[in-house]
Amino acid sequence: VAAEICSIRSARVKAARQLNRRAERQQARQFLAEGPQSVAEALRLPGAVTELFVTGPAAARHAGLLQLAVAGGVDVREVSDAVMAELAQTVTPQGLLAVCKFVDVPLAELAAAAPALVAVLANVRDPGNAGTVLRTADAAGAGGVVFAGTSVDPYNSKCVRSAAGSLFHLPVVTGVSALAAAAALRAAGMVLLAADIGGTRLDELESAGQLAGPTAWIFGNEAWGLPAELTALADEAVAVPIYGQAESLNLAAAAAVCLYASARAQRAAGK
Amino acid sequence: VAAEICSIRSARVKAARQLNRRAERQQARQFLAEGPQSVAEALRLPGAVTELFVTGPAAARHAGLLQLAVAGGVDVREVSDAVMAELAQTVTPQGLLAVCKFVDVPLAELAAAAPALVAVLANVRDPGNAGTVLRTADAAGAGGVVFAGTSVDPYNSKCVRSAAGSLFHLPVVTGVSALAAAAALRAAGMVLLAADIGGTRLDELESAGQLAGPTAWIFGNEAWGLPAELTALADEAVAVPIYGQAESLNLAAAAAVCLYASARAQRAAGK
């Protein structure tokens, strides 16, 4: 580990700090992952981390992670608390921040892998929701997540944080339209299910055995739902049943119920 | 509607604004609900709203809600945008804000109702998570939600917003320990299931028919999980299975999968 950087005017710190802006991230094809959980998951993916900033106390707390970084050829830089506060987007930074290479893959690569379960985010704007769906898709054993249309940038710091490391676990696609994603996944043999409050009830579909095959779930915007042309393209519009008085479910909660219904049905069918 | 209030020093505005602090809410036993959705749901519960602040543009947009308020004897006050900005906790206030009476009920009242499904939040600190669980519990047809132990105040503005009106839909209990809640719900004939990453798999419990009876789910803190004495007290510790590489699920996502598993099993069993 090199000498501690105490100046926020250091060229390295300035370059990393710029990655808090989407345009700068896209130009550098790099982003920031904050906190021990995200950093640990990033370090487990060979070549993903190029640089690691750490405060003195965090270096002592996470000695194992630092060893892993050094062993992996990562450039580790000790920084003061003030520098970390400049770099981090959280109110109480946890003292570890990694500069990572973009991990997204082309849509064609995801489709070619013929995954059994995919989540497509169509114009999902809230980074917390999008990151939570990514984490849930990972937990449910999905083979990929597509950030389509005007969805939030998967490398947005709040999205990375909500994903809790899952960005480094499964293929993520970004920069494509939802229609292109739907077409490619259908061509790869997947059934397209559009989450829609007016659709067929999820439990009816499950009972009818219609969740057992390879499935791409399409989730729409928090406020406006899915564009009509996307719902029309889907094999089925599907609703999580509402048994109480709530008008709807939060997007990430609905996605959890849908993705786990597919995971369960696919495993019950032995796929 | 009385004349527009343009001063943030108005006694009414000052009194309402104080309700953004928990101690003031508890003293007045009143809280604030912001935005058309929460206000509409509050107005549907007779006697819940005591006062309604509205900007001119919002009054024009939501004439139906205003009529409902006036018909219900609610004190409606037009306010300037500046006054609304003082009162509201959102960055872009939607022009409607209701002063509401506390709606929580005693634990004994919830237990006496012998609900089929209840969610107990044990030390859940994040208002967004807690509000989302409340909304999901409502959607899943639960008969109540308990904010136990050191859980966030259900009347916290972010929690109210995340609950999207569900605070006015089903019985909510607050100010009790998780152990007291668990004991009362068990005495009311409910099975206690503790959501715990190390527990029995949810799908195994479902296949074994163990989700069909009256059930209280206990969800723990986002970082620390459940206290050991609470897990020990539960009839079963239950885990949402992780099929991928994610370490765990977000609390609200896990709660969605658990509550919907119960809702489905209870309906399949004809309860």
Side-chain angles (χ1 to χ4, degrees):
Chain A
V1 178
E4 185 183 87
I5 302 177
C6 296
S7 169
I8 59 168
R9 287 193 301 268
S10 140
R12 285 176 174 281
V13 171
K14 272 179 152 170
R17 193 182 167 200
Q18 288 188 322
L19 299 178
N20 283 314
R21 289 202 300 270
R22 184 174 191 165
E24 305 284 347
R25 286 195 294 270
Q26 288 186 320
Q27 186 153 7
R29 290 197 58 79
Q30 291 189 317
F31 68 104
L32 302 177
E34 277 184 54
Q37 191 181 22
S38 287
V39 169
E41 299 306 306
L43 286 171
R44 274 187 204 119
L45 190 66
V49 180
T50 58
E51 200 168 3
L52 180 63
F53 294 98
V54 60
T55 61
R61 260 197 318 273
H62 304 286
L65 281 185
L66 256 70
Q67 281 179 356
L68 198 61
V70 171
V74 173
D75 203 352
V76 180
R77 300 275 156 182
E78 191 171 326
V79 295
S80 64
D81 286 349
V83 167
M84 183 56 74
E86 273 300 303
L87 287 173
Q89 294 292 292
T90 41
V91 181
T92 49
Q94 294 173 280
L96 277 171
L97 186 139
V99 177
C100 306
K101 287 186 195 159
F102 274 14
V103 292
D104 59 279
V105 301
L107 176 59
E109 186 178 320
L110 175 65
L117 184 59
V118 167
V120 178
L121 303 176
N123 314 322
V124 171
R125 303 295 296 157
D126 181 81
N129 273 340
T132 302
V133 174
L134 175 51
R135 178 178 175 186
T136 305
D138 178 12
V145 174
V146 184
F147 285 65
T150 60
S151 289
V152 65
D153 180 9
Y155 303 114
N156 165 296
S157 72
K158 194 173 173 202
C159 184
V160 173
R161 205 156 59 242
S162 297
S166 291
L167 188 51
F168 304 102
H169 291 162
L170 71 169
V172 167
V173 174
T174 183
V176 296
S177 75
L179 285 171
L185 295 171
R186 166 170 286 157
M190 306 188 80
V191 170
L192 304 182
L193 299 182
D196 186 308
I197 197 77
T200 309
R201 286 169 51 135
L202 179 66
D203 50 335
E204 290 176 11
L205 237 71
E206 191 170 359
S207 302
Q210 290 182 273
L211 294 182
T215 300
W217 278 99
I218 310 173
F219 303 108
N221 178 272
E222 293 85 345
W224 319 305
L226 285 168
E229 73 266 29
L230 208 52
T231 310
L233 184 71
D235 294 285
E236 193 92 55
V238 185
V240 176
I242 303 287
Y243 300 115
Q245 294 180 66
E247 218 174 81
S248 64
L249 282 165
N250 159 274
L251 172 76
V257 175
C258 293
L259 291 168
Y260 265 91
S262 285
R264 184 174 54 236
Q266 291 178 348
R267 276 158 187 80
K271 311 231 164 174
Chain B
V1 180
E4 185 183 82
I5 303 177
C6 297
S7 168
I8 59 167
R9 288 193 302 268
S10 140
R12 286 176 175 280
V13 171
K14 271 178 153 170
R17 193 183 166 200
Q18 288 189 322
L19 299 177
N20 283 314
R21 289 202 300 270
R22 184 172 191 168
E24 304 283 347
R25 285 196 293 272
Q26 289 185 318
Q27 186 153 7
R29 290 198 56 80
Q30 290 190 317
F31 68 105
L32 302 177
E34 277 185 54
Q37 189 181 23
S38 287
V39 169
E41 299 305 308
L43 286 170
R44 273 186 205 119
L45 189 66
V49 180
T50 59
E51 200 169 3
L52 180 65
F53 294 98
V54 61
T55 61
R61 260 197 319 274
H62 305 286
L65 281 185
L66 256 69
Q67 281 179 358
L68 197 62
V70 172
V74 173
D75 203 351
V76 180
R77 300 275 156 181
E78 192 171 327
V79 295
S80 64
D81 285 348
V83 166
M84 183 56 75
E86 273 300 305
L87 287 172
Q89 293 293 291
T90 41
V91 181
T92 49
Q94 293 172 282
L96 276 171
L97 185 140
V99 177
C100 306
K101 288 186 195 160
F102 273 15
V103 292
D104 59 280
V105 301
L107 176 59
E109 186 178 320
L110 175 65
L117 184 60
V118 167
V120 178
L121 302 175
N123 314 322
V124 172
R125 303 294 297 155
D126 182 81
N129 272 340
T132 301
V133 174
L134 176 51
R135 177 177 175 186
T136 304
D138 178 11
V145 174
V146 184
F147 286 65
T150 60
S151 289
V152 65
D153 180 10
Y155 302 115
N156 165 296
S157 72
K158 193 171 174 203
C159 184
V160 173
R161 204 157 59 243
S162 297
S166 291
L167 189 51
F168 304 102
H169 291 162
L170 71 169
V172 167
V173 174
T174 182
V176 297
S177 74
L179 286 172
L185 295 171
R186 165 169 287 159
M190 307 187 80
V191 170
L192 304 183
L193 299 183
D196 185 308
I197 198 76
T200 309
R201 286 169 51 136
L202 179 67
D203 50 334
E204 289 176 10
L205 237 71
E206 191 170 0
S207 301
Q210 290 182 273
L211 296 182
T215 300
W217 278 99
I218 310 172
F219 303 108
N221 177 272
E222 294 86 346
W224 317 304
L226 285 168
E229 74 265 30
L230 208 53
T231 310
L233 184 72
D235 294 286
E236 193 93 54
V238 186
V240 176
I242 304 287
Y243 300 114
Q245 293 181 67
E247 217 174 83
S248 64
L249 282 164
N250 160 275
L251 173 77
V257 175
C258 292
L259 292 168
Y260 264 90
S262 285
R264 183 175 55 238
Q266 291 179 347
R267 277 160 186 79
K271 310 232 162 169

